[in-house]
Amino acid sequence: LQVAVNSVEEKRPGAKEELFGLLAHYFIMLTILPLQVWVPAVFVSGLMSALIVTPTHQSEELFEDYQPDWVTAQYQSTRNAVTTNPFSEWIWGGMQYQLEHHLFPSMPRSKYPKLKPILQKFAEDNNIPGGYRESGEFEIQKMNWDLYKRVAEADAVEGAPYSRGHGQLGAINLGFSPAAGGLTGKLG
């Protein structure tokens, strides 16, 4: 809500309508729907967002060095999900076209399917390493799970701030963050 309020204060076009829409949404949700409906809905929507957004961003390896060619970097760092039915197409909400979204973020998602063959041809014509990357909607979920597993089982990075069991806030509060001058990773 703070972003919407700031947008109204900055007189951004359409900001008032967006703010009123958000207020109406929450008013209806908090007054008409019982607590037993909207609290689980918030958690389920968060889970669905995580299951849809992370696979298309995290299924590829990260770059060790700076990538001067932004377009090629987008091809190499994203993977699209191939949906199998209209319900899947709807539930993914356009995120199955991750490359299209990264290259053309302001394009309406309804146009992404028409853009796909153009980007496939571009990758082929320009010898983009890895080409146009896509996997089935369940395969990409499995790839993401395997990545999380590899990260969880990996050895600690030498010199990284200690965070096991404490998270970022714990590391900052304990003085282990780079901003606090600490990278020892030792307690006390």
Side-chain angles (χ1 to χ4, degrees), residues 114-184:
K114 292 179 182 176
L115 183 58
K116 180 179 174 178
I118 297 168
L119 294 180
Q120 288 172 319
K121 183 172 180 349
F122 180 87
E124 187 179 320
D125 292 349
N126 292 282
N127 297 316
I128 302 288
Y132 184 92
R133 299 168 193 231
E134 60 183 354
S135 297
E137 60 190 308
F138 298 109
E139 178 187 1
I140 201 170
Q141 293 286 349
K142 173 83 168 76
M143 290 169 68
N144 197 47
W145 179 262
D146 291 344
L147 175 64
Y148 282 143
K149 188 173 188 285
R150 281 196 318 272
V151 169
E153 293 172 346
D155 292 332
V157 175
E158 189 67 36
Y162 178 79
S163 63
R164 183 157 322 271
H166 299 286
Q168 290 179 351
L169 185 58
I172 292 168
N173 288 344
L174 294 172
F176 297 144
S177 75
L183 286 175
T184 62

Side-chain angles (χ1 to χ4, degrees), residues 11-12 25 38 41 59 82 96 117 123 126 136 149 158 177:
K11 300 188 182 334
R12 187 177 56 79
H25 166 77
W38 65 262
S59 62
V82 178
Q96 69 272 36
N126 292 282
K149 188 173 188 285
E158 189 67 36
S177 75

Side-chain angles (χ1 to χ4, degrees), residues 38-52:
W38 65 262
V39 169
V42 168
F43 286 106
V44 168
S45 67
L47 174 63
M48 291 301 298
S49 295
L51 290 173
I52 288 170

